[in-house]
Amino acid sequence: MQIKAPRGTYDILPDEAVKWQWMEQVLRETAERFGYREIRTPMFEHTELFHRGVGESTDIVTKEMYTFLDKSQRSLTLRPEGTASCARALIEHSLYNGTLPIKWYYIGPMFRYDRPQTGRYRQFHQFGIEAFGSRSPYLDAEVLFLLVEILKGLGLPAYELHLNSVGCSQCREEYRRKLIEHITPVKDRLCADCQVRYLQNPLRVLDCKEKSCHQAIADHPTLIDSLCDDCRDHYTLVQKALRDNGIEFVHDDNLVRGLDYYTNTAFEIHIPGIGAQSAVGGGGRYDGLVESCGGPSLPGIGFALGLERLLLALDKYKGVPPAEKQVNVFVAVMQDHLEDRAAALLYRLRQQGIAADKDYNQRSSRAQMKLADKLGAKYVILLGEDEVKGGFVTVRDMKTKEQRKVDQEGLIPFLQERLDNC
Ligand code: AMP
């Protein structure tokens, strides 16, 4: 039986990989321009971390984690998201004692056992940022400016930014009560999951994927009406900063992060027209997260963007700038017994920083020229008996088809000068 990549995973072949490289470069450059630095954490963590840092009642923890026992019977989990690992690293290295806020970005694969479809995979990639150690609403605004700047940098300005405030633990407690009162009389119309969770976590009913749940609780009380003065002021300032800087958004009463440690700002970003999975990213403030992971009380805010979905949007709307050609110079060898000379010349070119290649399958001269063209070579160096005897090489300009003799010594500067001017 042919072995294939596991369901929900896929290969990124070189023609696709160049798109990823371009996208990742835009992401890194933009985050660094905003003062965020890269963090790399392990691909697997102790399972307990995600129970605490993602939440016991979430779909991720209850249904989607790749959890396994290692040979020492430790329960480990392939990371389903990046925030909990960042909180763990911050606590483990006591970074909360240093300069705050800490501003990090990460990029890499995440793993969730979900039903695969377009835009949804079991191994997928996220770019995320986290800022720990400030409650300032202007930090919330910065995070949103960064999100929008990334989409602009990718050439995807047609997004929809949904925004809400989920308040603090106090105002949310009052809201929970109101919501349970509202839901109880219609609880039989909820989906099976929500019937179980609405008493423990009624906010999850608001972001349930089932339409019937939304219909059952239509005209539910809104979070925004339950915010305390501090939370209301925070939200007002975030919205004002966005408006002052020309960033469009829609206030969305149904957007919640149904977990205790999420606070204040919550957001999601959609790109319409890329299919059922139109959310390219989401995030918010999580002032209780570091504490739930076993650290001190330290506020934080962040977001994660799904890279597969960004690529879907790029493929649909804009494409990705054409990749650089593979090589600049091709060494064409005219006689088999000159292979060693060609190999030495090729190595010399590469040592001097020139991207170069040759044939390894004894192609004819014509076929070598074709290959050179396919690889995008701007110059071909022809190496035959005459050249070796005379101590020179013949350099062919692939654009003008002009050929000229260049002595061995002068070859590197000759090529460097021309390639610099390309
Ligand atoms: P979340 O961590 O669930 O808020 O997800 C943040 C973003 O990651 C989403 O908006 C998606 O773009 C992306 N994402 C989440 N789960 C998947 C998945 N299974 N496959 C592909 N992308 C995903």
Side-chain angles (χ1 to χ4, degrees):
M1 196 189 74
Q2 191 192 351
I3 300 176
K4 297 198 167 167
R7 188 163 139 79
T9 72
Y10 60 94
D11 302 305
I12 302 174
L13 298 175
D15 281 347
E16 277 295 299
V18 290
K19 297 187 191 170
W20 285 79
Q21 287 164 359
W22 175 80
M23 182 168 64
E24 287 168 9
Q25 195 186 337
V26 172
L27 294 166
R28 285 173 194 284
E29 277 175 8
T30 316
E32 284 168 17
R33 186 151 36 95
F34 278 68
Y36 290 73
R37 299 177 68 207
E38 184 175 7
I39 175 163
R40 299 188 190 198
T41 60
M43 225 79 91
F44 58 86
E45 299 269 4
H46 290 290
T47 303
E48 178 63 17
L49 175 68
F50 301 116
H51 281 245
R52 294 206 218 161
V54 177
E56 302 278 2
S57 69
T58 55
D59 284 351
I60 292 182
V61 168
T62 54
K63 301 181 196 157
E64 298 172 2
M65 293 209 303
Y66 277 94
T67 298
F68 58 96
L69 290 178
D70 74 0
K71 291 192 197 300
S72 308
Q73 303 303 303
R74 285 184 205 97
S75 179
L76 299 172
T77 294
L78 298 184
R79 62 181 187 190
E81 54 99 66
T83 305
S85 301
C86 289
R88 197 257 318 127
L90 175 137
I91 299 164
E92 188 166 337
H93 302 285
S94 309
L95 299 175
Y96 45 82
N97 289 326
T99 311
L100 299 175
I102 289 164
K103 304 207 301 186
W104 285 339
Y105 74 86
Y106 59 83
I107 190 161
M110 306 292 161
F111 307 86
R112 294 186 195 171
Y113 191 83
D114 206 343
R115 201 166 40 81
Q117 54 174 267
T118 307
R120 197 200 281 156
Y121 306 92
R122 291 183 173 170
Q123 175 176 334
F124 60 100
H125 298 76
Q126 282 187 341
F127 165 86
I129 65 116
E130 315 289 350
F132 294 101
S134 166
R135 280 196 175 78
S136 167
Y138 297 102
L139 183 61
D140 302 40
E142 171 181 289
V143 163
L144 290 160
F145 294 162
L146 170 53
L147 180 57
V148 168
E149 204 57 26
I150 284 173
L151 295 182
K152 273 204 235 152
L154 293 171
L156 295 170
Y159 57 80
E160 273 174 23
L161 175 61
H162 291 236
L163 196 66
N164 195 7
S165 172
V166 298
C168 62
S169 52
Q170 273 152 26
C171 39
R172 209 162 48 231
E173 198 40 52
E174 187 200 320
Y175 181 64
R176 271 169 60 106
R177 260 201 318 276
K178 281 196 213 161
L179 198 56
I180 292 174
E181 259 170 42
H182 183 85
I183 295 174
T184 306
V186 294
K187 67 175 195 308
D188 296 340
R189 290 166 55 199
L190 301 179
C191 73
D193 281 349
C194 284
Q195 291 199 15
V196 177
R197 66 190 172 195
Y198 87 94
L199 277 176
Q200 188 202 352
N201 204 337
L203 271 73
R204 292 297 315 281
V205 183
L206 298 185
D207 67 359
C208 179
K209 288 171 193 147
E210 297 296 329
K211 258 205 187 116
S212 57
C213 290
H214 286 249
Q215 284 160 355
I217 61 159
D219 62 86
H220 59 78
T222 61
L223 254 163
I224 190 124
D225 290 333
S226 301
L227 294 185
C228 65
D229 288 348
D230 279 356
C231 290
R232 189 184 305 276
D233 288 350
H234 187 101
Y235 192 43
T236 305
L237 287 173
V238 175
Q239 292 178 90
K240 180 173 181 313
L242 293 180
R243 284 196 196 100
D244 287 351
N245 290 280
I247 292 176
E248 285 181 27
F249 62 91
V250 282
H251 167 79
D252 182 345
D253 283 321
N254 282 336
L255 176 64
V256 290
R257 299 251 150 188
L259 294 170
D260 288 347
Y261 41 74
Y262 280 102
T263 48
N264 300 108
T265 315
F267 53 91
E268 229 169 58
I269 196 140
H270 293 258
I271 297 192
I274 59 166
Q277 308 296 322
S278 69
V280 292
R285 199 163 251 294
Y286 41 76
D287 289 351
L289 173 73
V290 177
E291 212 169 350
S292 9
C293 292
S297 165
L298 193 74
I301 177 163
F303 66 72
L305 282 167
L307 302 194
E308 282 77 4
R309 296 197 193 161
L310 283 180
L311 261 187
L312 275 177
L314 283 169
D315 283 343
K316 177 163 170 94
Y317 290 114
K318 167 182 176 272
V320 166
E324 298 259 315
K325 290 291 186 182
Q326 275 169 259
V327 298
N328 282 326
V329 174
F330 188 90
V331 178
V333 57
M334 299 296 126
Q335 281 93 21
D336 286 352
H337 70 274
L338 297 176
E339 282 286 345
D340 57 345
R341 299 218 177 217
L345 173 58
L346 184 61
Y347 185 36
R348 192 152 68 89
L349 292 171
R350 289 167 169 173
Q351 282 175 313
Q352 296 301 320
I354 296 173
D357 214 340
K358 73 183 283 299
D359 162 54
Y360 289 101
N361 293 82
Q362 283 146 358
R363 284 181 170 81
S364 68
S365 318
R366 247 180 85 122
Q368 288 188 65
M369 286 302 170
K370 260 191 163 167
L371 178 59
D373 211 36
K374 193 168 170 211
L375 297 178
K378 297 187 179 83
Y379 295 94
V380 173
I381 300 175
L382 299 158
L383 197 64
E385 289 287 5
D386 292 350
E387 279 82 3
V388 171
K389 273 191 203 133
F392 65 90
V393 290
T394 302
V395 179
R396 181 180 170 89
D397 182 325
M398 293 295 275
K399 206 152 127 202
T400 62
K401 313 286 180 224
E402 210 181 297
Q403 292 196 176
R404 67 151 83 181
K405 292 178 182 174
V406 181
D407 68 81
Q408 289 268 9
E409 292 304 300
L411 177 63
I412 302 278
F414 174 89
L415 289 171
Q416 272 165 343
E417 192 191 321
R418 275 157 186 77
L419 291 171
D420 283 351
N421 294 329
C422 273

